Amino acid sequence: MVQRFLDDDPALTSEERTSLAADEGIQTHRQALDEADVSADTSAVVVPVALPNHLAEMVRQRVAVQDRNLSPAPLPGLIVRIDQAVGPDGPLGWDIAHPFVVLLSEPTEHPDIWYGWLMSSETDYAGHWDLLLEETDQTYDPLAAMVQTWNPVHLYVDAISAPLGQLSPERLATVRELAQDLGGAQPDASDAAPGTLVQRTTSGDHLVLTGSPLGDGADPRWRYQELYFEAAGFVRTMARKALEHLAARQASSWWESVMTGLRTAAETAGITLTPVTAATLGDEAAVAAGAEQVHRIGEMVELRLLPSTEGDAVQLHLVLAQTAPLRVGLALGARVRQQALLTQAAPETDLFAGADQALTFFIRDEDDQVRFSMALGKVSDPH
């Protein structure tokens, strides 16, 4: 990270820059480097040296990618670079020594989390399940030379730093097909030839260029894949933490909608919704719940809503407030999932609802007529 600071790496956060700038040891090191630059002999004539062909080709490819002006917005087949760890609330402050490259396949159930595969540039280490990009896939950054179909990842798309290329739908379909073939018959290890490329077909007869099968334990590609699988864990962890955060945020939103729904349902039905002080209920749990979560619905029942810690479930504690019996419960469509009869002899009950159930709370009288109902809804579909 110190070297990245000295190189003025734009991927560093402002907090990281401030912390490193305040380090006396780093400042002393920078001053020594500056003095060394000044004292260096600059009188010698510098003769330009032509770039080696392979470096010139890398520069050409990167310039060509920039000229395409690709959008970083996630799309199937988009190749993206990740320079820093990012969560829903911004940079996570994790140090990344080397950028990651991912080929996006499709979104998961949450649109901010996409499925794909890690990519790499070291084609000499290609194995049977590494698909090499070819001239027809141009233009792409040299960092994205091959797709590791054996190394799938989930990516939090806000972490995308830049697009590095875009595969055609047909080519992406070929990658997906090779990834599916991975679950079938495995190649013969006796065909191992590290550093050798093989042209072969997928199960759907698509022509691909891959490496040879991995050999015995001495094959260096085993260690290579082990290192890249561990590196991919960084991307997976970032996505998992983002998903946990997003799920908690959705659950909180659901809980707020439950409270809003209660007020709206009472207003629609023309029923008075009266806040009840915790002291009236007479127990410590009610005090913890807070007065705004305890209400008398008309003169029928007192309803205490107790959300779970994560906000993704709620306990409905009901106490009969009138003399005549009432039936309370939760229904999914026309099907009653939970219910209880409140009477003078048994005036209390508890019902439980989750954020993923889309239940309706109801109160019915002795004649089975609905006196009050409200939809608890569910965590909204992120799509």
Side-chain angles (χ1 to χ4, degrees):
M1 184 180 287
V2 172
Q3 186 60 51
R4 291 169 59 199
F5 171 72
L6 295 175
D7 292 339
D8 199 24
D9 188 344
L12 291 175
T13 66
S14 58
E15 292 81 3
E16 290 170 336
R17 291 177 184 278
T18 301
S19 176
L20 293 169
D23 191 301
E24 294 183 1
I26 294 176
Q27 295 304 321
T28 300
H29 181 59
R30 167 175 271 179
Q31 182 177 357
L33 291 175
D34 292 341
E35 292 173 354
D37 289 340
V38 171
S39 62
D41 182 9
T42 59
S43 60
V45 177
V46 177
V47 179
V49 178
L51 280 176
N53 290 338
H54 71 284
L55 291 180
E57 176 60 18
M58 289 177 62
V59 171
R60 185 199 67 77
Q61 284 184 272
R62 286 183 171 157
V63 170
V65 170
Q66 293 176 358
D67 288 344
R68 292 184 68 179
N69 293 318
L70 294 170
S71 168
L75 288 172
L78 185 67
I79 300 170
V80 299
R81 190 184 73 229
I82 298 93
D83 293 335
Q84 65 174 334
V86 174
D89 292 330
L92 297 175
W94 302 351
D95 189 27
I96 300 180
H98 191 278
F100 293 96
V101 180
V102 174
L103 169 62
L104 300 180
S105 179
E106 66 269 336
T108 64
E109 293 181 356
H110 197 293
D112 291 335
I113 307 294
W114 277 60
Y115 178 79
W117 303 273
L118 209 66
M119 299 187 69
S120 60
S121 61
E122 301 88 1
T123 55
D124 287 345
Y125 287 85
H128 191 73
W129 304 112
D130 289 299
L131 183 147
L132 275 73
L133 300 191
E134 303 180 52
E135 289 186 4
T136 55
D137 298 313
Q138 296 285 7
T139 302
Y140 57 86
D141 190 281
L143 287 175
M146 67 181 183
V147 185
Q148 300 176 349
T149 65
W150 52 269
N151 203 5
V153 295
H154 285 96
L155 174 67
Y156 178 53
V157 296
D158 279 11
I160 294 174
S161 300
L164 300 185
Q166 173 73 54
L167 295 190
S168 68
E170 295 77 17
R171 192 64 164 152
L172 178 60
T174 299
V175 176
R176 289 170 175 165
E177 194 168 79
L178 184 63
Q180 291 175 352
D181 291 348
L182 178 61
Q186 296 302 302
D188 189 342
S190 65
D191 294 330
T196 301
L197 300 182
V198 179
Q199 193 169 55
R200 61 191 182 89
T201 57
T202 65
S203 58
D205 291 330
H206 287 102
L207 199 62
V208 294
L209 186 65
T210 71
S212 66
L214 270 63
D216 58 23
D219 191 326
R221 294 174 297 171
W222 284 110
R223 180 55 178 162
Y224 173 82
Q225 289 195 1
E226 180 182 338
L227 291 172
Y228 260 98
F229 185 80
E230 292 176 357
F234 181 98
V235 180
R236 298 185 188 102
T237 299
M238 182 167 54
R240 184 173 63 252
K241 288 185 174 297
L243 188 58
E244 290 172 354
H245 186 99
L246 293 167
R249 182 184 293 174
Q250 283 188 322
S252 175
S253 176
W254 172 78
W255 164 242
E256 293 171 1
S257 74
V258 169
M259 296 301 300
T260 301
L262 174 62
R263 300 184 186 97
T264 301
E267 181 179 346
T268 301
I271 295 176
T272 302
L273 191 64
T274 308
V276 178
T277 61
T280 303
L281 297 173
D283 64 34
E284 295 180 358
V287 174
E292 67 175 7
Q293 296 173 344
V294 186
H295 297 83
R296 181 185 293 263
I297 302 177
E299 295 299 326
M300 296 181 288
V301 298
E302 286 181 356
L303 170 64
R304 183 195 314 168
L305 294 170
L306 299 171
S308 66
T309 303
E310 296 78 13
D312 61 351
V314 63
Q315 172 186 343
L316 295 83
H317 182 76
L318 294 131
V319 180
L320 185 66
Q322 66 180 36
T323 303
L326 289 172
R327 190 176 299 277
V328 296
L330 297 172
L332 180 61
R335 181 183 176 187
V336 175
R337 302 296 297 271
Q338 302 173 46
Q339 68 174 336
L341 180 65
L342 301 182
T343 65
Q344 292 296 311
E348 300 183 34
T349 194
D350 289 294
L351 305 173
F352 298 87
D356 59 346
Q357 295 176 304
L359 299 173
T360 297
F361 167 65
F362 64 82
I363 302 175
R364 296 177 179 172
D365 60 22
E366 293 179 283
D367 298 323
D368 205 30
Q369 297 297 309
V370 176
R371 300 284 301 281
F372 177 82
S373 69
M374 63 169 285
L376 297 179
K378 63 185 298 185
V379 171
S380 60
D381 185 346
H383 296 290

